[in-house]
Amino acid sequence: MESTIIKAVNYNAYFGDNQVVKEVSMDIARNSVVAVMGPSGCGKTTFLRGINRMHELVPSAHANGKIWLNNEDIMEMHPIVVRLKIGMVFQRPNPFPNLSIHDNVLAGYKLNGIKLSKSERERIVEESLVKVALWKEVKDSLMKKGTFLSGGQQQRLCIARAVAMQPEVLLFDEPTSALDPISTAMVEELFKELKKNYTLIIVTHNMQQAARVSDKTAFFYMGELVEYDDTKLMFTNPTDQRTQNYITGRFS
Amino acid sequence: MAQIEVEIQHLKEEVVNMGYLVKAQLQKSKTALTNFDKNLAREIVIKEKRVNGYELKIDRDCENILALRTPVAVDLRFILAVLKINNNLERIGDIAEGIAKYIIHTETKFTPQLLQRSKVLQMLEVGITILEDGLASFEHENTILARSIFLRDEFLDEVNFQAIGFTKAYMAENPSEIDETLYILSIIRKLERVGDQVKNIAEEIIFYIEAKVLKHNKDLLP
Amino acid sequence: MRWLTILLTLLCILPLIFILIYIIKAGISAIDWNFITNIPKPVGETGGGVANALLGTVIIIAVATIIAVPIGILTGIYLSENKKGKIAAWAGICVDILQGVPSIVIGIVAYFWIVRPMGGFSALSGSISLAIMMLPIIIRSTEETLKLLPDSLKEAAYALGMPTHKVIMKVIIPCGFSGIISGVMLSVARVAGETAPLLFTAFGNPFIETNLLKPMQSLPLLIFNYATSSYKDWQNLAWGASLVLLVFVLALNLLTKLMTRKWKVQL
C-alpha cells in the first residue's frame, strides 16, 4: 500500500471571485496526523473542506486543481462516495438532536437508508463508541437523546458517528475549540489511538495543540501553504520567517 | 510589540548588563594584580554578590517566560541559550573573585618579572577582549564576531599548556618566589577556564541565532 | 406602575371570559343528540340539528389542509434553503402580501376563478379559498422554524454522505417538526371560523352533502344565516353552532400547544 493517502496538487478554491486558497500542494501520509494552522482567514478551513468536497456546497464556491485520494481524483468520484471515505468532525459538536445516542452513531447508515442487521448495528455502535472512549460512559443510556451529553461527550459522539462509517481519512475542523481543557485533553488522547487506523487532518487555531498531537504541521497564510514540515522542526527551527513570526506570536 | 518580545528584550538587556559587570570585574582584577592593590581586590569580592544576584534574577525570568509564554523556535532557543550564558558569566565572575582573593591573601607582592614572564596579564587582556566581543556579538546578534572568538581563545590554551614548564623553570630560578609562582599557576589555570566559558557563550549565541549546535563538534568550527 | 399593567391585562382577558360565558350559556341548551345528528328542519318542526354543517366544516377544512400543507411546507423549505435567491425574495414578498389580503377578497377571487368556470358553487372552491388563506401561515412558520435550525445540523448530514433531498427529509424536517406542525394547526384554527370566503364559494346547503363539486354547508355559514333570521329555532341552532365552533378552535389551540411540546427537539 502506498504511503501517501491524500495528495493535493495546485489546489485553488474560490468564493465567487475571491480566491481563498492559492496553489496548495501537499502530500499526506497514511496513518499520520497532520495539523493545519494559520491565522483567521488564511484558507485552512476552506482547504480542509475541499478535501471532502464540502466546499462546493456553498453557493458561488468553486475550485480547481487536483486532490487525490489513493490515486483517485476526488472530483471524478461521486461526492457522496468521497464523503463516505473521508469523514468530518466540526467545531461545534453537532449530534442530531432528534436521535438517540445509539441512532446518532448509526446516523450515516440509517439516514442514508442503508440496511444493517441487528447484530451488525450493535457491533458498530459498540465498536465506534469504544474507539472514542465513550462506551463505558453511555452504554447504559444509549437510548437517551444525543444532546443530553456534555460538550466533550457530544464531540466524542460526533467522532464515533464519523468513525462508524469506516472512512479512511478523518478531517477535524477546530474540534476542541468549543471544549473545556479536560475534554480537549481527552480528545487529543483519542487522536493517538485513532491514528492507528485512520489518517487525521486537523485544522487548529491552537498552536500548542498542533505541537502536541501532530507528526507534520502545515502553516497557511493568506491562502498560501507557506511551510509544511515535521512538527518538531517547525517549532524549533522553521524555515520561513512568516512561520516563525506566527508561532512566536509576533502577529496573530 | 507582543508581550513576549518585550520580555525577551528585557532579558537581553539584563544579560548584557551582567556581562559588562563581569567584564569590569576582570578588568579590576587585572589592575589589582598589576598594582597589587588589596583594596581594589576587596571591591571585587564585594561586587561578586551583584553578579550572583543577576544570575538568580535571570534564571527566574527565564523560568517565567517558559511557563507563561510557551516560547517556540527562535524564542525558545534564545531562552535555552540565555540559561547557559547566565551560568558561564557567573563562573567568569567567580574566577575574577578567585583572583582577587589570592591578592588579598598573599603577603608579598607579585614581582613584575613574574607577572610578565608568566604572561598572566596578557591572558587577562585576551580574556577581557574576547568576553567583550562575546557580549557585543550577543547584543547585536553577530555570529561572525562570535566565531572569531574560537581562534583567539587558542592563545589562552597555549599559555596554559606551557604553564607547568614555565612554573618549574621560574621556581628553580627564583626560589624566594615559590608561593607567588604557585598562585600565578592557579591563576593561569583559572584564566584558561575563562576562555572556555567565553567559547561556550559563543557556541550558545551561534545556536540560538543559526540553530546550529557547535558543541562537542570540532568539525563544524571554522 | 404595576397596577396599571395588571389592570390592562385584566381588560384583555375579561372580554374573552364574557364571550365564553355568554356563548356557553346561550348555546349549551341547544346541544343534544338531535343537534348533532339531524339536519335543520323546516321552521316550526322540532328536532333540527346542524349535522350537515358539522360534516361540511370537517370536509371543507380537511380538503383545504390537504391542498395547503404540501404546497406550504415545500415553499417554506424552499424559502429557508435559498435565503439569498431572487425567486426567494420575490416569493417572500408575495407571501407577506397574501397574508394581508382580506378574506372576502379571496372569496370573490375564488368566485371568479373557480365558481364561474365550474358553473356553480362547490365545496372544492371553498376549500381552495381557505387553502389560499392557510398558505402564508404555513409557509412562514415552516420557514422560520427551519431558519432557526443551526447550519451545523445540515453540515453534519452532508459530511456523512447524505444527498440533499435526504438531508431535508431525514434531518431538517424531523428536527423542525414541532414548528411545522404548530404552523399547520394554527392555520387550521385560523380558517375554521372564516365565513366571508365561503359565502361566494361553498355557498351553503340545507342538506348533508359529501360531493366536493356541490355546494356544502359549514358552521360559519350556518351561524351567519341562522343568527340573523327571525326564527327562534334557527337562532338557537346558531348559538349551539357558535359554541361548537368555539370549542373546536380552543381545542385546536390546546392540541397545538401539547403537540409542540411533545415534538419539540432540544437543540
Side-chain angles (χ1 to χ4, degrees), chain C residues 19 50 79 88-89 204 207 230:
Chain C
I19 293 175
V50 297
L79 287 179
F207 304 106
S230 33

Side-chain angles (χ1 to χ4, degrees), chain A residues 235-237 244 247-250, chain B residues 2 4-5 72-75 77 211:
Chain A
F235 282 90
T236 53
N237 187 22
Q244 177 138 282
I247 63 178
T248 56
R250 296 300 192 268
Chain B
I4 189 178
E5 264 187 286
V72 285
V74 66
D75 292 344
R77 298 197 307 271

Side-chain angles (χ1 to χ4, degrees), chain C residues 161-174:
Chain C
M162 268 182 243
T164 308
H165 68 273
K166 285 217 176 97
V167 172
I168 295 182
M169 297 299 296
K170 301 241 171 138
V171 175
I172 299 292
I173 293 188

Side-chain angles (χ1 to χ4, degrees), chain B residues 103-119:
Chain B
I103 297 172
I104 294 174
H105 291 131
T106 34
E107 294 309 317
T108 1
K109 202 173 142 156
F110 298 111
T111 63
Q113 199 196 186
L114 174 57
L115 292 177
Q116 200 237 331
R117 277 181 61 185
S118 62
K119 298 198 189 143

Side-chain angles (χ1 to χ4, degrees), chain C:
Chain C
M1 189 61 203
R2 202 159 162 249
W3 60 263
L4 185 63
T5 50
I6 295 178
L7 179 69
L8 291 173
T9 308
L10 282 175
L11 220 55
C12 293
I13 303 179
L14 281 175
L16 176 64
I17 297 182
F18 283 143
I19 293 175
L20 277 174
I21 295 177
Y22 196 76
I23 293 186
I24 292 176
K25 264 180 49 186
I28 198 81
S29 52
I31 296 184
D32 55 19
W33 187 243
N34 282 337
F35 182 78
I36 299 174
T37 50
N38 286 351
I39 60 171
K41 292 260 167 74
V43 185
E45 280 188 44
T46 51
V50 297
N52 57 342
L54 283 173
L55 188 62
T57 300
V58 168
I59 293 179
I60 293 179
I61 291 183
V63 174
T65 308
I66 293 174
I67 298 175
V69 162
I71 301 178
I73 293 183
L74 287 173
T75 309
I77 293 174
Y78 180 81
L79 287 179
S80 76
E81 289 288 308
N82 297 284
K83 295 180 191 120
K84 297 203 181 129
K86 259 205 181 143
I87 301 180
W90 280 108
I93 295 175
C94 292
V95 167
D96 288 334
I97 296 176
L98 192 57
Q99 188 145 36
V101 173
S103 55
I104 194 160
V105 171
I106 294 184
I108 296 177
V109 166
Y111 175 77
F112 278 109
W113 277 359
I114 307 170
V115 174
R116 275 284 195 89
M118 271 179 74
F121 299 109
S122 64
L124 183 63
S125 57
S127 289
I128 292 178
S129 53
L130 287 188
I132 295 178
M133 294 186 67
M134 286 168 81
L135 273 180
I137 302 176
I138 299 179
I139 293 175
R140 274 303 178 213
S141 69
T142 303
E143 186 196 354
E144 290 305 313
T145 305
L146 296 186
K147 267 194 184 158
L148 280 177
L149 294 177
D151 273 343
S152 56
L153 272 176
K154 279 201 302 198
E155 294 204 318
Y158 277 121
L160 288 170
M162 268 182 243
T164 308
H165 68 273
K166 285 217 176 97
V167 172
I168 295 182
M169 297 299 296
K170 301 241 171 138
V171 175
I172 299 292
I173 293 188
C175 286
F177 197 61
S178 81
I180 296 174
I181 276 289
S182 75
V184 169
M185 298 188 83
L186 283 174
S187 67
V188 169
R190 167 94 173 73
V191 299
E194 283 295 332
T195 322
L198 297 178
L199 286 173
F200 309 107
T201 49
F203 193 68
N205 190 328
F207 304 106
I208 289 189
E209 181 62 71
T210 50
N211 186 347
L212 285 174
L213 300 173
K214 292 276 166 72
M216 201 182 279
Q217 185 62 292
S218 87
L219 283 171
L221 280 174
L222 185 139
I223 297 171
F224 175 66
N225 286 318
Y226 286 25
T228 50
S229 77
S230 33
Y231 307 117
K232 196 78 175 47
D233 293 338
W234 280 13
Q235 282 169 2
N236 273 343
L237 286 181
W239 280 119
S242 302
L243 180 57
V244 170
L245 199 54
L246 197 63
V247 167
F248 178 58
V249 172
L250 281 176
L252 212 56
N253 273 302
L254 253 160
L255 195 62
T256 305
K257 277 222 151 55
L258 286 173
M259 288 193 77
T260 309
R261 220 177 294 160
K262 176 173 189 236
W263 290 102
K264 183 97 179 116
V265 165
Q266 178 74 32
L267 283 173

